[in-house]
mmCIF file of all heavy atoms in Angstrom:
data_model
loop_
_atom_site.group_PDB
_atom_site.id
_atom_site.type_symbol
_atom_site.label_atom_id
_atom_site.label_comp_id
_atom_site.label_asym_id
_atom_site.label_seq_id
_atom_site.Cartn_x
_atom_site.Cartn_y
_atom_site.Cartn_z
ATOM 1 N N ASP A 4 -135.472 138.648 -105.233
ATOM 2 C CA ASP A 4 -136.513 139.109 -104.302
ATOM 3 C C ASP A 4 -136.823 140.604 -104.381
ATOM 4 O O ASP A 4 -137.612 141.122 -103.599
ATOM 5 C CB ASP A 4 -136.138 138.749 -102.855
ATOM 6 C CG ASP A 4 -134.746 139.237 -102.478
ATOM 7 O OD1 ASP A 4 -134.192 140.085 -103.201
ATOM 8 O OD2 ASP A 4 -134.206 138.751 -101.455
ATOM 9 N N GLY A 5 -136.215 141.314 -105.328
ATOM 10 C CA GLY A 5 -136.548 142.728 -105.528
ATOM 11 C C GLY A 5 -135.967 143.681 -104.513
ATOM 12 O O GLY A 5 -136.363 144.845 -104.443
ATOM 13 N N ARG A 6 -135.002 143.197 -103.719
ATOM 14 C CA ARG A 6 -134.417 144.073 -102.696
ATOM 15 C C ARG A 6 -133.476 145.111 -103.307
ATOM 16 O O ARG A 6 -132.580 144.761 -104.080
ATOM 17 C CB ARG A 6 -133.598 143.257 -101.692
ATOM 18 C CG ARG A 6 -134.409 142.497 -100.678
ATOM 19 C CD ARG A 6 -133.467 141.809 -99.693
ATOM 20 N NE ARG A 6 -134.202 141.148 -98.631
ATOM 21 C CZ ARG A 6 -133.621 140.547 -97.601
ATOM 22 N NH1 ARG A 6 -132.297 140.510 -97.515
ATOM 23 N NH2 ARG A 6 -134.353 139.981 -96.651
ATOM 24 N N PRO A 7 -133.630 146.389 -102.939
ATOM 25 C CA PRO A 7 -132.630 147.375 -103.373
ATOM 26 C C PRO A 7 -131.295 147.095 -102.692
ATOM 27 O O PRO A 7 -131.246 146.723 -101.523
ATOM 28 C CB PRO A 7 -133.217 148.710 -102.909
ATOM 29 C CG PRO A 7 -134.234 148.396 -101.880
ATOM 30 C CD PRO A 7 -134.716 147.008 -102.149
ATOM 31 N N GLN A 8 -130.208 147.251 -103.449
ATOM 32 C CA GLN A 8 -128.868 146.971 -102.924
ATOM 33 C C GLN A 8 -127.971 148.201 -102.919
ATOM 34 O O GLN A 8 -127.227 148.426 -101.977
ATOM 35 C CB GLN A 8 -128.207 145.876 -103.761
ATOM 36 C CG GLN A 8 -128.925 144.536 -103.691
ATOM 37 C CD GLN A 8 -128.377 143.586 -104.725
ATOM 38 O OE1 GLN A 8 -128.523 143.807 -105.927
ATOM 39 N NE2 GLN A 8 -127.731 142.525 -104.289
ATOM 40 N N LYS A 9 -128.067 148.981 -103.991
ATOM 41 C CA LYS A 9 -127.157 150.124 -104.119
ATOM 42 C C LYS A 9 -127.783 151.143 -105.066
ATOM 43 O O LYS A 9 -128.556 150.785 -105.955
ATOM 44 C CB LYS A 9 -125.811 149.641 -104.683
ATOM 45 C CG LYS A 9 -124.788 150.732 -104.943
ATOM 46 C CD LYS A 9 -123.547 150.126 -105.605
ATOM 47 C CE LYS A 9 -122.621 151.188 -106.156
ATOM 48 N NZ LYS A 9 -121.459 150.629 -106.860
ATOM 49 N N ALA A 10 -127.437 152.414 -104.855
ATOM 50 C CA ALA A 10 -127.860 153.462 -105.780
ATOM 51 C C ALA A 10 -126.704 154.444 -105.977
ATOM 52 O O ALA A 10 -125.934 154.694 -105.045
ATOM 53 C CB ALA A 10 -129.086 154.194 -105.251
ATOM 54 N N GLU A 11 -126.587 154.960 -107.182
ATOM 55 C CA GLU A 11 -125.664 156.055 -107.478
ATOM 56 C C GLU A 11 -126.505 157.249 -107.898
ATOM 57 O O GLU A 11 -127.401 157.113 -108.739
ATOM 58 C CB GLU A 11 -124.706 155.680 -108.618
ATOM 59 C CG GLU A 11 -123.733 154.576 -108.280
ATOM 60 C CD GLU A 11 -122.829 154.199 -109.447
ATOM 61 O OE1 GLU A 11 -123.147 154.568 -110.602
ATOM 62 O OE2 GLU A 11 -121.806 153.522 -109.197
ATOM 63 N N PHE A 12 -126.209 158.417 -107.326
ATOM 64 C CA PHE A 12 -127.008 159.616 -107.585
ATOM 65 C C PHE A 12 -126.186 160.615 -108.402
ATOM 66 O O PHE A 12 -125.045 160.933 -108.040
ATOM 67 C CB PHE A 12 -127.442 160.248 -106.269
ATOM 68 C CG PHE A 12 -128.266 159.318 -105.400
ATOM 69 C CD1 PHE A 12 -127.720 158.751 -104.261
ATOM 70 C CD2 PHE A 12 -129.563 159.006 -105.739
ATOM 71 C CE1 PHE A 12 -128.472 157.893 -103.457
ATOM 72 C CE2 PHE A 12 -130.321 158.150 -104.954
ATOM 73 C CZ PHE A 12 -129.777 157.592 -103.811
ATOM 74 N N TYR A 13 -126.791 161.121 -109.481
ATOM 75 C CA TYR A 13 -126.079 161.987 -110.421
ATOM 76 C C TYR A 13 -126.735 163.366 -110.522
ATOM 77 O O TYR A 13 -127.949 163.513 -110.357
ATOM 78 C CB TYR A 13 -126.077 161.345 -111.819
ATOM 79 C CG TYR A 13 -125.198 160.121 -111.912
ATOM 80 C CD1 TYR A 13 -125.682 158.874 -111.499
ATOM 81 C CD2 TYR A 13 -123.900 160.200 -112.394
ATOM 82 C CE1 TYR A 13 -124.878 157.743 -111.568
ATOM 83 C CE2 TYR A 13 -123.085 159.060 -112.472
ATOM 84 C CZ TYR A 13 -123.582 157.846 -112.062
ATOM 85 O OH TYR A 13 -122.790 156.724 -112.130
ATOM 86 N N SER A 14 -125.898 164.365 -110.848
ATOM 87 C CA SER A 14 -126.377 165.735 -111.065
ATOM 88 C C SER A 14 -126.894 165.879 -112.497
ATOM 89 O O SER A 14 -126.744 164.985 -113.330
ATOM 90 C CB SER A 14 -125.242 166.727 -110.833
ATOM 91 O OG SER A 14 -124.286 166.599 -111.880
ATOM 92 N N LEU A 15 -127.444 167.040 -112.777
ATOM 93 C CA LEU A 15 -127.965 167.340 -114.116
ATOM 94 C C LEU A 15 -126.858 167.274 -115.174
ATOM 95 O O LEU A 15 -127.083 166.883 -116.314
ATOM 96 C CB LEU A 15 -128.611 168.734 -114.109
ATOM 97 C CG LEU A 15 -129.576 169.077 -115.234
ATOM 98 C CD1 LEU A 15 -130.738 168.098 -115.297
ATOM 99 C CD2 LEU A 15 -130.100 170.496 -115.068
ATOM 100 N N SER A 16 -125.633 167.631 -114.784
ATOM 101 C CA SER A 16 -124.506 167.616 -115.732
ATOM 102 C C SER A 16 -123.935 166.212 -115.927
ATOM 103 O O SER A 16 -123.009 166.014 -116.708
ATOM 104 C CB SER A 16 -123.398 168.547 -115.239
ATOM 105 O OG SER A 16 -122.841 168.051 -114.030
ATOM 106 N N GLY A 17 -124.482 165.217 -115.187
ATOM 107 C CA GLY A 17 -124.012 163.848 -115.328
ATOM 108 C C GLY A 17 -122.906 163.472 -114.359
ATOM 109 O O GLY A 17 -122.329 162.386 -114.447
ATOM 110 N N ARG A 18 -122.598 164.353 -113.391
ATOM 111 C CA ARG A 18 -121.544 164.079 -112.412
ATOM 112 C C ARG A 18 -122.083 163.197 -111.285
ATOM 113 O O ARG A 18 -123.166 163.441 -110.763
ATOM 114 C CB ARG A 18 -121.039 165.406 -111.836
ATOM 115 C CG ARG A 18 -119.833 165.266 -110.926
ATOM 116 C CD ARG A 18 -119.361 166.628 -110.454
ATOM 117 N NE ARG A 18 -120.373 167.266 -109.608
ATOM 118 C CZ ARG A 18 -120.249 168.472 -109.070
ATOM 119 N NH1 ARG A 18 -119.177 169.199 -109.343
ATOM 120 N NH2 ARG A 18 -121.179 168.985 -108.303
ATOM 121 N N LEU A 19 -121.321 162.164 -110.922
ATOM 122 C CA LEU A 19 -121.696 161.320 -109.793
ATOM 123 C C LEU A 19 -121.534 162.116 -108.506
ATOM 124 O O LEU A 19 -120.447 162.605 -108.196
ATOM 125 C CB LEU A 19 -120.822 160.064 -109.760
ATOM 126 C CG LEU A 19 -121.040 159.110 -108.575
ATOM 127 C CD1 LEU A 19 -122.467 158.564 -108.555
ATOM 128 C CD2 LEU A 19 -120.024 157.972 -108.606
ATOM 129 N N LEU A 20 -122.633 162.246 -107.740
ATOM 130 C CA LEU A 20 -122.616 163.017 -106.492
ATOM 131 C C LEU A 20 -122.300 162.128 -105.294
ATOM 132 O O LEU A 20 -121.470 162.466 -104.464
ATOM 133 C CB LEU A 20 -123.972 163.690 -106.270
ATOM 134 C CG LEU A 20 -124.422 164.676 -107.341
ATOM 135 C CD1 LEU A 20 -125.863 165.104 -107.089
ATOM 136 C CD2 LEU A 20 -123.500 165.894 -107.349
ATOM 137 N N LYS A 21 -122.987 160.992 -105.190
ATOM 138 C CA LYS A 21 -122.793 160.110 -104.042
ATOM 139 C C LYS A 21 -123.360 158.740 -104.344
ATOM 140 O O LYS A 21 -124.123 158.556 -105.299
ATOM 141 C CB LYS A 21 -123.460 160.701 -102.794
ATOM 142 C CG LYS A 21 -124.958 160.833 -102.890
ATOM 143 C CD LYS A 21 -125.507 161.626 -101.704
ATOM 144 C CE LYS A 21 -126.986 161.861 -101.845
ATOM 145 N NZ LYS A 21 -127.507 162.859 -100.936
ATOM 146 N N THR A 22 -122.960 157.786 -103.519
ATOM 147 C CA THR A 22 -123.500 156.433 -103.623
ATOM 148 C C THR A 22 -124.223 156.088 -102.326
ATOM 149 O O THR A 22 -123.953 156.667 -101.276
ATOM 150 C CB THR A 22 -122.383 155.398 -103.852
ATOM 151 O OG1 THR A 22 -121.482 155.443 -102.746
ATOM 152 C CG2 THR A 22 -121.624 155.681 -105.127
ATOM 153 N N CYS A 23 -125.152 155.149 -102.416
ATOM 154 C CA CYS A 23 -125.887 154.691 -101.241
ATOM 155 C C CYS A 23 -125.953 153.167 -101.282
ATOM 156 O O CYS A 23 -126.277 152.588 -102.316
ATOM 157 C CB CYS A 23 -127.296 155.282 -101.237
ATOM 158 S SG CYS A 23 -128.342 154.671 -99.900
ATOM 159 N N ARG A 24 -125.651 152.530 -100.157
ATOM 160 C CA ARG A 24 -125.792 151.081 -100.035
ATOM 161 C C ARG A 24 -126.917 150.783 -99.045
ATOM 162 O O ARG A 24 -126.996 151.394 -97.971
ATOM 163 C CB ARG A 24 -124.480 150.441 -99.547
ATOM 164 C CG ARG A 24 -123.315 150.657 -100.480
ATOM 165 C CD ARG A 24 -122.139 149.744 -100.129
ATOM 166 N NE ARG A 24 -121.745 149.804 -98.733
ATOM 167 C CZ ARG A 24 -120.903 150.700 -98.219
ATOM 168 N NH1 ARG A 24 -120.388 151.645 -98.999
ATOM 169 N NH2 ARG A 24 -120.578 150.674 -96.938
ATOM 170 N N TYR A 25 -127.787 149.835 -99.425
ATOM 171 C CA TYR A 25 -128.919 149.425 -98.577
ATOM 172 C C TYR A 25 -128.526 148.139 -97.860
ATOM 173 O O TYR A 25 -128.302 147.111 -98.503
ATOM 174 C CB TYR A 25 -130.168 149.212 -99.437
ATOM 175 C CG TYR A 25 -130.589 150.455 -100.198
ATOM 176 C CD1 TYR A 25 -130.071 150.724 -101.471
ATOM 177 C CD2 TYR A 25 -131.484 151.366 -99.651
ATOM 178 C CE1 TYR A 25 -130.443 151.865 -102.172
ATOM 179 C CE2 TYR A 25 -131.861 152.509 -100.338
ATOM 180 C CZ TYR A 25 -131.339 152.761 -101.595
ATOM 181 O OH TYR A 25 -131.701 153.897 -102.273
ATOM 182 N N GLU A 26 -128.421 148.204 -96.536
ATOM 183 C CA GLU A 26 -127.835 147.093 -95.783
ATOM 184 C C GLU A 26 -128.696 146.692 -94.588
ATOM 185 O O GLU A 26 -129.666 147.365 -94.247
ATOM 186 C CB GLU A 26 -126.435 147.499 -95.282
ATOM 187 C CG GLU A 26 -125.460 147.873 -96.384
ATOM 188 C CD GLU A 26 -124.098 148.304 -95.858
ATOM 189 O OE1 GLU A 26 -123.970 148.570 -94.638
ATOM 190 O OE2 GLU A 26 -123.166 148.369 -96.678
ATOM 191 N N ASP A 27 -128.258 145.608 -93.945
ATOM 192 C CA ASP A 27 -128.797 145.160 -92.654
ATOM 193 C C ASP A 27 -130.325 144.994 -92.696
ATOM 194 O O ASP A 27 -131.057 145.653 -91.949
ATOM 195 C CB ASP A 27 -128.386 146.161 -91.559
ATOM 196 C CG ASP A 27 -128.397 145.526 -90.180
ATOM 197 O OD1 ASP A 27 -128.570 144.289 -90.103
ATOM 198 O OD2 ASP A 27 -128.255 146.255 -89.183
ATOM 199 N N TYR A 28 -130.773 144.124 -93.566
ATOM 200 C CA TYR A 28 -132.220 143.877 -93.691
ATOM 201 C C TYR A 28 -132.762 143.223 -92.423
ATOM 202 O O TYR A 28 -132.196 142.244 -91.932
ATOM 203 C CB TYR A 28 -132.498 142.992 -94.908
ATOM 204 C CG TYR A 28 -132.614 143.777 -96.188
ATOM 205 C CD1 TYR A 28 -131.488 144.266 -96.838
ATOM 206 C CD2 TYR A 28 -133.861 144.056 -96.745
ATOM 207 C CE1 TYR A 28 -131.595 145.007 -98.007
ATOM 208 C CE2 TYR A 28 -133.987 144.792 -97.916
ATOM 209 C CZ TYR A 28 -132.856 145.267 -98.538
ATOM 210 O OH TYR A 28 -132.967 146.003 -99.689
ATOM 211 N N LYS A 29 -133.830 143.800 -91.881
ATOM 212 C CA LYS A 29 -134.506 143.247 -90.698
ATOM 213 C C LYS A 29 -136.011 143.409 -90.874
ATOM 214 O O LYS A 29 -136.463 144.240 -91.658
ATOM 215 C CB LYS A 29 -134.069 143.992 -89.430
ATOM 216 C CG LYS A 29 -132.633 143.758 -89.027
ATOM 217 C CD LYS A 29 -132.288 144.548 -87.785
ATOM 218 C CE LYS A 29 -130.814 144.363 -87.420
ATOM 219 N NZ LYS A 29 -130.409 145.291 -86.343
ATOM 220 N N ARG A 30 -136.744 142.635 -90.087
ATOM 221 C CA ARG A 30 -138.205 142.717 -90.184
ATOM 222 C C ARG A 30 -138.704 143.977 -89.473
ATOM 223 O O ARG A 30 -138.479 144.161 -88.284
ATOM 224 C CB ARG A 30 -138.844 141.468 -89.576
ATOM 225 C CG ARG A 30 -140.313 141.336 -89.943
ATOM 226 C CD ARG A 30 -140.839 139.926 -89.719
ATOM 227 N NE ARG A 30 -142.211 139.813 -90.159
ATOM 228 C CZ ARG A 30 -142.595 139.592 -91.405
ATOM 229 N NH1 ARG A 30 -141.679 139.443 -92.339
ATOM 230 N NH2 ARG A 30 -143.872 139.506 -91.738
ATOM 231 N N MET A 31 -139.368 144.833 -90.220
ATOM 232 C CA MET A 31 -139.983 146.049 -89.676
ATOM 233 C C MET A 31 -141.297 146.275 -90.399
ATOM 234 O O MET A 31 -141.354 146.120 -91.625
ATOM 235 C CB MET A 31 -139.095 147.294 -89.893
ATOM 236 C CG MET A 31 -137.880 147.395 -89.028
ATOM 237 S SD MET A 31 -137.175 149.086 -89.027
ATOM 238 C CE MET A 31 -136.935 149.402 -90.777
ATOM 239 N N ALA A 32 -142.336 146.638 -89.633
ATOM 240 C CA ALA A 32 -143.637 146.953 -90.223
ATOM 241 C C ALA A 32 -144.069 145.891 -91.227
ATOM 242 O O ALA A 32 -144.436 146.187 -92.359
ATOM 243 C CB ALA A 32 -143.621 148.339 -90.870
ATOM 244 N N GLY A 33 -143.959 144.610 -90.805
ATOM 245 C CA GLY A 33 -144.556 143.524 -91.569
ATOM 246 C C GLY A 33 -143.709 142.831 -92.603
ATOM 247 O O GLY A 33 -144.129 141.817 -93.157
ATOM 248 N N THR A 34 -142.507 143.364 -92.906
ATOM 249 C CA THR A 34 -141.684 142.694 -93.918
ATOM 250 C C THR A 34 -140.215 143.015 -93.686
ATOM 251 O O THR A 34 -139.872 143.850 -92.842
ATOM 252 C CB THR A 34 -142.119 143.093 -95.347
ATOM 253 O OG1 THR A 34 -141.533 142.186 -96.282
ATOM 254 C CG2 THR A 34 -141.715 144.511 -95.691
ATOM 255 N N SER A 35 -139.339 142.359 -94.427
ATOM 256 C CA SER A 35 -137.900 142.588 -94.290
ATOM 257 C C SER A 35 -137.509 143.846 -95.077
ATOM 258 O O SER A 35 -137.783 143.942 -96.274
ATOM 259 C CB SER A 35 -137.148 141.366 -94.826
ATOM 260 O OG SER A 35 -135.773 141.515 -94.628
ATOM 261 N N ARG A 36 -136.873 144.790 -94.363
ATOM 262 C CA ARG A 36 -136.532 146.080 -94.971
ATOM 263 C C ARG A 36 -135.083 146.447 -94.628
ATOM 264 O O ARG A 36 -134.561 146.033 -93.597
ATOM 265 C CB ARG A 36 -137.457 147.183 -94.445
ATOM 266 C CG ARG A 36 -138.940 146.883 -94.613
ATOM 267 C CD ARG A 36 -139.791 148.050 -94.087
ATOM 268 N NE ARG A 36 -141.199 147.678 -93.988
ATOM 269 C CZ ARG A 36 -142.060 147.696 -94.998
ATOM 270 N NH1 ARG A 36 -141.659 148.076 -96.188
ATOM 271 N NH2 ARG A 36 -143.325 147.344 -94.824
ATOM 272 N N PRO A 37 -134.441 147.292 -95.465
ATOM 273 C CA PRO A 37 -133.088 147.746 -95.113
ATOM 274 C C PRO A 37 -133.174 148.701 -93.917
ATOM 275 O O PRO A 37 -133.959 149.639 -93.925
ATOM 276 C CB PRO A 37 -132.606 148.469 -96.372
ATOM 277 C CG PRO A 37 -133.857 148.878 -97.094
ATOM 278 C CD PRO A 37 -134.893 147.853 -96.748
ATOM 279 N N THR A 38 -132.359 148.449 -92.881
ATOM 280 C CA THR A 38 -132.392 149.301 -91.694
ATOM 281 C C THR A 38 -131.151 150.184 -91.583
ATOM 282 O O THR A 38 -131.041 150.994 -90.668
ATOM 283 C CB THR A 38 -132.506 148.454 -90.407
ATOM 284 O OG1 THR A 38 -131.332 147.639 -90.284
ATOM 285 C CG2 THR A 38 -133.740 147.572 -90.443
ATOM 286 N N ARG A 39 -130.232 150.011 -92.526
ATOM 287 C CA ARG A 39 -128.994 150.814 -92.502
ATOM 288 C C ARG A 39 -128.679 151.244 -93.932
ATOM 289 O O ARG A 39 -128.573 150.402 -94.832
ATOM 290 C CB ARG A 39 -127.865 149.967 -91.915
ATOM 291 C CG ARG A 39 -126.478 150.583 -91.964
ATOM 292 C CD ARG A 39 -125.488 149.587 -91.372
ATOM 293 N NE ARG A 39 -124.167 149.748 -91.938
ATOM 294 C CZ ARG A 39 -123.172 150.405 -91.340
ATOM 295 N NH1 ARG A 39 -123.374 150.967 -90.179
ATOM 296 N NH2 ARG A 39 -122.001 150.491 -91.921
ATOM 297 N N LEU A 40 -128.555 152.538 -94.139
ATOM 298 C CA LEU A 40 -128.162 153.085 -95.436
ATOM 299 C C LEU A 40 -126.832 153.796 -95.257
ATOM 300 O O LEU A 40 -126.667 154.587 -94.319
ATOM 301 C CB LEU A 40 -129.201 154.088 -95.954
ATOM 302 C CG LEU A 40 -130.374 153.534 -96.774
ATOM 303 C CD1 LEU A 40 -131.191 152.537 -95.973
ATOM 304 C CD2 LEU A 40 -131.260 154.676 -97.259
ATOM 305 N N VAL A 41 -125.885 153.502 -96.135
ATOM 306 C CA VAL A 41 -124.566 154.143 -96.071
ATOM 307 C C VAL A 41 -124.429 155.043 -97.291
ATOM 308 O O VAL A 41 -124.375 154.563 -98.419
ATOM 309 C CB VAL A 41 -123.436 153.092 -96.036
ATOM 310 C CG1 VAL A 41 -122.077 153.791 -95.950
ATOM 311 C CG2 VAL A 41 -123.627 152.139 -94.864
ATOM 312 N N MET A 42 -124.385 156.357 -97.055
ATOM 313 C CA MET A 42 -124.270 157.340 -98.139
ATOM 314 C C MET A 42 -122.861 157.918 -98.132
ATOM 315 O O MET A 42 -122.392 158.411 -97.106
ATOM 316 C CB MET A 42 -125.290 158.454 -97.967
ATOM 317 C CG MET A 42 -126.705 158.017 -98.233
ATOM 318 S SD MET A 42 -127.820 159.430 -98.349
ATOM 319 C CE MET A 42 -129.260 158.630 -99.074
ATOM 320 N N GLU A 43 -122.228 157.851 -99.290
ATOM 321 C CA GLU A 43 -120.817 158.254 -99.389
ATOM 322 C C GLU A 43 -120.639 159.284 -100.491
ATOM 323 O O GLU A 43 -121.093 159.077 -101.625
ATOM 324 C CB GLU A 43 -119.977 157.002 -99.686
ATOM 325 C CG GLU A 43 -118.534 157.146 -99.354
ATOM 326 C CD GLU A 43 -117.830 155.788 -99.243
ATOM 327 O OE1 GLU A 43 -118.503 154.745 -99.234
ATOM 328 O OE2 GLU A 43 -116.594 155.818 -99.172
ATOM 329 N N ASP A 44 -119.989 160.385 -100.163
ATOM 330 C CA ASP A 44 -119.727 161.444 -101.132
ATOM 331 C C ASP A 44 -118.776 160.925 -102.202
ATOM 332 O O ASP A 44 -117.732 160.342 -101.888
ATOM 333 C CB ASP A 44 -119.112 162.653 -100.409
ATOM 334 C CG ASP A 44 -119.117 163.905 -101.274
ATOM 335 O OD1 ASP A 44 -118.605 163.864 -102.405
ATOM 336 O OD2 ASP A 44 -119.621 164.944 -100.807
ATOM 337 N N ALA A 45 -119.126 161.125 -103.459
ATOM 338 C CA ALA A 45 -118.283 160.626 -104.557
ATOM 339 C C ALA A 45 -117.120 161.575 -104.850
ATOM 340 O O ALA A 45 -116.164 161.197 -105.515
ATOM 341 C CB ALA A 45 -119.126 160.445 -105.815
ATOM 342 N N LEU A 46 -117.216 162.810 -104.363
ATOM 343 C CA LEU A 46 -116.217 163.823 -104.684
ATOM 344 C C LEU A 46 -115.213 164.030 -103.558
ATOM 345 O O LEU A 46 -114.057 164.343 -103.800
ATOM 346 C CB LEU A 46 -116.908 165.153 -105.012
ATOM 347 C CG LEU A 46 -118.038 165.066 -106.050
ATOM 348 C CD1 LEU A 46 -118.812 166.360 -106.108
ATOM 349 C CD2 LEU A 46 -117.464 164.731 -107.417
ATOM 350 N N LYS A 47 -115.684 163.869 -102.303
ATOM 351 C CA LYS A 47 -114.810 164.113 -101.147
ATOM 352 C C LYS A 47 -114.625 162.813 -100.381
ATOM 353 O O LYS A 47 -115.548 162.350 -99.722
ATOM 354 C CB LYS A 47 -115.423 165.179 -100.236
ATOM 355 C CG LYS A 47 -115.592 166.521 -100.909
ATOM 356 C CD LYS A 47 -116.339 167.475 -100.006
ATOM 357 C CE LYS A 47 -116.688 168.754 -100.744
ATOM 358 N NZ LYS A 47 -117.708 169.532 -100.025
ATOM 359 N N LYS A 48 -113.450 162.255 -100.467
ATOM 360 C CA LYS A 48 -113.146 160.962 -99.838
ATOM 361 C C LYS A 48 -113.320 161.052 -98.320
ATOM 362 O O LYS A 48 -112.900 162.010 -97.695
ATOM 363 C CB LYS A 48 -111.720 160.546 -100.194
ATOM 364 C CG LYS A 48 -111.418 159.091 -99.892
ATOM 365 C CD LYS A 48 -110.090 158.694 -100.494
ATOM 366 C CE LYS A 48 -109.670 157.302 -100.089
ATOM 367 N NZ LYS A 48 -110.609 156.261 -100.491
ATOM 368 N N GLY A 49 -113.968 160.030 -97.767
ATOM 369 C CA GLY A 49 -114.109 159.967 -96.315
ATOM 370 C C GLY A 49 -115.335 160.663 -95.762
ATOM 371 O O GLY A 49 -115.579 160.624 -94.557
ATOM 372 N N GLU A 50 -116.119 161.329 -96.631
ATOM 373 C CA GLU A 50 -117.338 161.998 -96.158
ATOM 374 C C GLU A 50 -118.506 161.017 -96.296
ATOM 375 O O GLU A 50 -118.927 160.690 -97.406
ATOM 376 C CB GLU A 50 -117.589 163.292 -96.923
ATOM 377 C CG GLU A 50 -116.440 164.268 -96.782
ATOM 378 C CD GLU A 50 -116.886 165.717 -96.641
ATOM 379 O OE1 GLU A 50 -118.071 166.003 -96.894
ATOM 380 O OE2 GLU A 50 -116.028 166.556 -96.298
#
């Protein structure tokens, strides 16, 4: 269905900066959309 699930974001040097999970799909503005994004620092645990 083309839903985004996860993204990893990288710096110019190729270092993983953080990850993002697209969660809790609900109907908003006419269609089902992710309503919760969880962004986690790849370098500092727990951030």
Side-chain angles (χ1 to χ4, degrees):
D4 53 15
R6 283 184 175 184
Q8 296 170 294
K9 177 185 168 183
E11 293 178 344
F12 301 107
Y13 290 83
S14 70
L15 198 58
S16 66
R18 187 177 65 181
L19 177 61
L20 300 172
K21 64 189 175 194
T22 60
C23 175
R24 299 193 308 274
Y25 301 89
E26 301 179 346
D27 203 8
Y28 275 77
K29 291 179 183 171
R30 194 162 184 83
M31 286 196 305
T34 194
S35 184
R36 306 181 191 277
T38 63
R39 173 181 152 100
L40 272 60
V41 181
M42 289 192 166
E43 200 162 350
D44 194 306
L46 309 169
K47 298 174 188 165
K48 194 170 173 60
E50 301 219 347

